Amino acid sequence: MRPWEKNIRKVVPYVPGEQPKGDRLIKLNTNENPYPPAPGVEQALRTMDTDAFRKYPDPTASALTEALAEYYQVGKNQVFVGVGSDDVIGMAFLTFFNSDKPILFPDVTYSFYPVWADLFRIPYETPALDEQFRIRKEDYYRENGGVIFPNPNAPTGLDMGLDEIEDILKHNQDVVVIVDEAYVDFGSQSALSLISKYENLLVVQTFSKSRSMAGMRIGYAIGHPDLIRAMNDVKYSYNSYTMNMPSLMLGVEAVKDDAYFKETLGKIMKTREETKGWMKELGFSFPDSKSNFLFASHERVPAVEIFEALKKEQIYVRYFKQPRLENYLRITIGTDAEMAALKQFLESFLSGR
C-alpha cells in the first residue's frame, strides 16, 4: 500500500440497476415510470429561458418547496428538497443519525441504507423480515439511534398499515424515524397524516417514480420545522446549490397537474393487477405489491435462468444475487404493450421447461 492510501475512506458502493442502451429494448429493471411527465413539464421545457442558466439557482428552492407545501397542505418550513430522494435520505442520515447506538432498518430493503451508514460511520442493525417478507414492528421496540424503512418496502413491494407505522413511532419517541415513501403513490397510504402528531417523523418522497422524472433527480422530505431546519443547516454547510434551475422549474410544473398525475398512477396500477393475474397462471408467486413492480419467483425455473433468457431478448428485469433474494426477480410495471411482450416471451420460454 502506498503511504497516502491508508487515509482513503473505503466503502462498498451501492450498485444501481443496469442502464442498457438501444432503441428496441424493454426496460423493466429500475422502476421508472413508463409514461412521460405531465404536459406542463414539456411546455415549460420548450419555453425555458436558457440565459438564466448562467446564474446560480435559488439555494432555498422556494418555488418548488412552496408548490409542494401547497399540494400537501403543510407549511413551507416543513419541506426540504434535494437531488432525488437518495440525496435527501443521505442528508437525513448525516443530520439525524449521530448516536453511538445503532440505527435500525430491515435486512431486506433498499440497499443504499447500509452504504450510507458505512460512509458516515453510523452503526446499524438489520432486523430480519419475517417469512412472508414483512417488517415485524416489534423488532423496532429496542433501544436504537434512529429508524428508517421504506413503505412500501423494496424490493418486495409490501406495505405497512398506518397503525403499524404509528406503533413504531410510539416506541421510538427519542429518535428520528424516517419513512421512505418512494413507491407510496401506487396504492399505499402515506404517513404524512402522522406528521402533526409526531415531531420526530420525517417522510421522504420522490419525483422519480410516480411523477415520471427520474432523469431530473428531485426528492423531498416533509416533517416538523425543526427537522427541516436541521437538514438545511447541514445542506448549507455542505453544498448550498444542490438543486439545478431546470429541475426546480420543471418540478413545479409536475406538481401542478394533479389530474395527469392521478391518471398515470391509475394506468400503472391497472396494468399491475392484470400482470399479477397472468403471472400467477404462468406459475409465478409474489407478495401483494403496492408499488410499481412485482417481486416474483417461479415454481420450477430458477430466477437467474429467467433473467438471462430475458436479457438475450433485450427485456431487462432486476436480479439480486444475495441471500433470500436469489430466486426472485423484480419486474417493473411498464406499458400494456411492454407487459404483453414480456408475457409472450415468458409463455414461450416456460412452456419448454
Side-chain angles (χ1 to χ4, degrees), residues 37-50 53 213 216 244-247 249-251 253-254:
V41 173
E42 181 180 357
Q43 180 62 27
L45 192 60
R46 292 180 183 277
T47 59
M48 193 171 290
D49 179 14
T50 55
F53 293 176
M213 296 182 72
M216 295 309 297
N244 66 67
M245 192 176 295
S247 290
M249 296 170 64
L250 301 180
E253 294 303 319

Side-chain angles (χ1 to χ4, degrees), residues 237-256:
S237 301
Y238 177 72
N239 180 3
S240 298
Y241 301 103
T242 56
M243 294 292 294
N244 66 67
M245 192 176 295
S247 290
L248 292 172
M249 296 170 64
L250 301 180
V252 170
E253 294 303 319
V255 175
K256 285 181 181 178

Side-chain angles (χ1 to χ4, degrees), residues 256-273:
K256 285 181 181 178
D257 197 338
D258 194 47
Y260 179 83
F261 175 58
K262 297 282 187 0
E263 177 188 352
T264 302
L265 292 176
K267 288 194 290 187
I268 292 171
M269 288 187 283
K270 180 176 181 291
T271 303
R272 179 190 67 204
E273 296 309 306

Side-chain angles (χ1 to χ4, degrees), residues 176-191:
V176 172
V177 176
I178 302 173
V179 182
D180 180 359
E181 295 187 340
Y183 301 101
V184 74
D185 294 321
F186 298 105
S188 188
Q189 191 172 6
S190 175

